[in-house]
Amino acid sequence: KSSSYAVLEGQYTLHETIGTGGFAKVKLGTHVLTGDKVAIKIMDKRLLGEDLPRVKLEIEALKELSHQHICKLYQKIEIENKIFLILEYCPGGELFDYIVERDRLEEKEARVFFRQIVSAVAYIHNKGYAHRDLKPENLLLDDEQNLKLIDFGLCARPKGGMETHLETCCGSPAYAAPELISGQEYLGNEADIWSLGVLLFALLCGYLPFDDDNVSTLYKKIQNGEYECPFWLSQKSKQLLHRLLQVNPKHRITVTELLTDPWLMEGFTEPVLWKNPFKTSKLDEECLIELSMYYGKPRTVIVEEIMQRNFTYISATYSLLLQRKAKGQRIRLESDTTPLREIKPIN
Ligand SMILES: Cn1cc(Br)cc1C(=O)Nc1[nH]nc2c1CN(C(=O)N[C@H](CN1CCCC1)c1ccccc1)C21CC1
């Protein structure tokens, strides 16, 4: 067992398991050079079986998606029977637990979270992807109360663009759109919008709009689109829920209209921004120099390795240095093995 983890030797230290699901598990890890925490998703290719293509799809999606509210892929390590994905660590746990602990969220807090989720969904739709499994279990909190979207295993990027209809029924029933559970062809991004409605209801109410122990009764409720709003919901939030939870996908609000919805704009002057503001093509000089000094490799070789998007240890270290710099932390990779984490920042 531990032998197949040998490949991580010297790059990451493995700690306890923080999540299990299907044929994968997620362990807490430490990136040796910086001492930063990472989440290591470990999959056994033999157990994955016909799910292996889904994993490949998730990896391709994660390589393509770079956004402040999408959990970042730092590195991919594939050996004969195992795939290791080194991902951003979110110490705040699941949004699901955050809501449960508080019963429900006040409008102000729900709005901040929902704007982050809409920003991530608008970004992935603009990239031609649909997530198809949007739910509070797939939204994690980082150390600054920001949400990070995870689990792109069900995401779809139809070959013929977003107009192509998908058939595969997937995701979690309570969050699934009517057209999806009635087995009709459906558009991934329209189904995501419905799930956003269920998510918003869960944020504001602390329970699900459509729920029943009997799955077929649950399906009927979803297909009728009947749900009750508790007394504490404001008029504007009820209007937004009504625009999201439209049974007919053609009557549903689009993600573009969502960016300037009155409820989402309340207390804000700017529409929801979804472009990645940090997506400058140029790399950060200070981090590049630090890496080239540490590895004794010319700066151009480091740039090459990062730009090739092979998600290697060097590109993972670059990403982590960039995140440290954004947080005002030290980015010196001393040649001795003292990881940065142990060196207290000089303030
Ligand atoms: C729950 N929790 C509590 C604390 Br404190 C930190 C965490 C935590 O999980 N943090 C965390 N950071 N980064 C990640 C995680 C979990 N995590 C995950 O990817 N977690 C998902 C959780 N899915 C939700 C529904 C089914 C499984 C997962 C997927 C496959 C196997 C195991 C776990 C990543 C790697 C992206």
Side-chain angles (χ1 to χ4, degrees):
K1 281 300 291 175
S2 57
S3 62
S4 71
Y5 295 166
V7 68
L8 300 175
E9 202 66 30
Q11 298 185 28
Y12 300 96
T13 315
L14 270 184
H15 309 294
E16 71 274 16
T17 298
I18 52 177
T20 51
F23 299 114
K25 67 180 156 188
V26 171
K27 282 177 165 293
L28 179 62
T30 302
H31 176 260
V32 171
L33 283 194
T34 57
D36 286 341
K37 287 192 174 36
V38 291
I40 303 181
K41 192 169 179 178
I42 305 163
M43 290 162 277
D44 184 318
K45 290 198 284 193
R46 291 162 301 193
L47 298 181
L48 281 174
E50 79 280 349
D51 273 0
L52 189 57
R54 248 178 61 178
V55 169
K56 295 290 182 189
L57 196 114
E58 177 176 22
I59 295 168
E60 284 321 301
L62 285 171
K63 281 185 171 184
E64 174 97 10
L65 301 170
S66 166
H67 184 274
Q68 61 273 35
H69 297 301
I70 292 175
C71 189
K72 188 161 180 42
L73 173 67
Y74 296 127
Q75 184 176 353
K76 181 197 110 178
I77 302 171
E78 184 163 357
I79 52 177
E80 65 283 350
N81 290 323
K82 288 228 188 296
I83 297 176
F84 299 87
L85 297 184
I86 315 297
L87 293 144
E88 186 172 358
Y89 175 60
C90 305
E94 294 179 3
L95 175 62
F96 181 90
D97 299 321
Y98 187 88
I99 300 169
V100 166
E101 276 153 27
R102 291 155 180 77
D103 283 341
R104 60 181 157 97
L105 306 187
E106 290 308 314
E107 273 213 357
K108 237 166 115 67
E109 188 175 28
R111 180 176 296 110
V112 168
F113 279 143
F114 198 65
R115 284 175 67 100
Q116 293 182 357
I117 300 164
V118 167
S119 171
V121 173
Y123 172 79
I124 60 175
H125 284 185
N126 197 271
K127 283 271 185 178
Y129 286 96
H131 186 277
R132 296 201 299 170
D133 197 13
L134 295 170
K135 56 186 180 182
E137 296 89 326
N138 284 342
L139 284 153
L140 302 179
L141 288 144
D142 72 3
D143 52 359
E144 293 169 337
Q145 287 283 76
N146 288 311
L147 287 178
K148 305 280 178 179
L149 184 56
I150 61 167
D151 277 354
F152 286 76
L154 294 177
C155 82
R157 181 179 216 189
K159 297 289 166 286
M162 292 309 275
E163 290 62 49
T164 329
H165 283 78
L166 301 155
E167 284 86 33
T168 40
C169 182
C170 56
S172 317
Y175 294 83
E179 68 271 17
L180 201 151
I181 56 178
S182 57
Q184 291 159 10
E185 292 199 321
Y186 66 94
L187 285 177
N189 54 354
E190 291 173 346
D192 276 351
I193 298 292
W194 173 277
S195 304
L196 284 178
V198 179
L199 236 172
L200 178 60
F201 191 98
L203 284 166
L204 292 168
C205 306
Y207 59 89
L208 295 169
F210 313 104
D211 204 358
D212 202 286
D213 297 337
N214 177 305
V215 176
S216 56
T217 318
L218 169 64
Y219 280 4
K220 277 194 189 48
K221 289 182 180 176
I222 292 170
Q223 277 158 338
N224 295 338
E226 278 150 28
Y227 60 96
E228 273 159 45
C229 289
F231 69 89
W232 60 77
L233 290 188
S234 69
Q235 206 42 39
K236 279 199 186 112
S237 64
K238 283 193 272 197
Q239 270 152 12
L240 175 53
L241 285 165
H242 182 71
R243 297 175 75 190
L244 289 161
L245 296 172
Q246 283 294 314
V247 172
N248 181 338
K250 300 307 167 205
H251 298 163
R252 220 167 281 162
I253 190 173
T254 65
V255 74
T256 311
E257 293 162 339
L258 195 46
L259 301 175
T260 56
D261 169 79
W263 184 79
L264 277 176
M265 291 301 290
E266 207 166 312
F268 287 83
T269 51
E270 285 295 308
V272 177
L273 300 173
W274 51 272
K275 284 194 176 68
N276 179 346
F278 312 104
K279 191 83 204 151
T280 51
S281 53
K282 75 180 181 48
L283 298 172
D284 179 277
E285 273 313 306
E286 200 182 356
C287 295
L288 285 177
I289 300 301
E290 194 51 39
L291 277 167
S292 94
M293 306 257 284
Y294 182 81
Y295 282 101
K297 286 182 177 181
R299 184 187 158 293
T300 44
V301 166
I302 302 291
V303 170
E304 189 53 40
E305 178 142 347
I306 295 167
M307 297 306 267
Q308 264 167 3
R309 305 168 62 73
N310 294 334
F311 290 81
T312 62
Y313 192 65
I314 282 193
S315 54
T317 308
Y318 174 78
S319 297
L320 286 164
L321 287 178
L322 206 56
Q323 270 175 296
R324 294 181 70 85
K325 185 169 180 178
K327 290 180 185 171
Q329 293 168 330
R330 290 167 58 82
I331 60 165
R332 291 281 161 277
L333 296 175
E334 263 73 22
S335 50
D336 66 14
T337 52
T338 321
L340 285 172
R341 174 69 48 188
E342 266 60 55
I343 302 167
K344 294 288 159 272
I346 309 164
N347 38 33

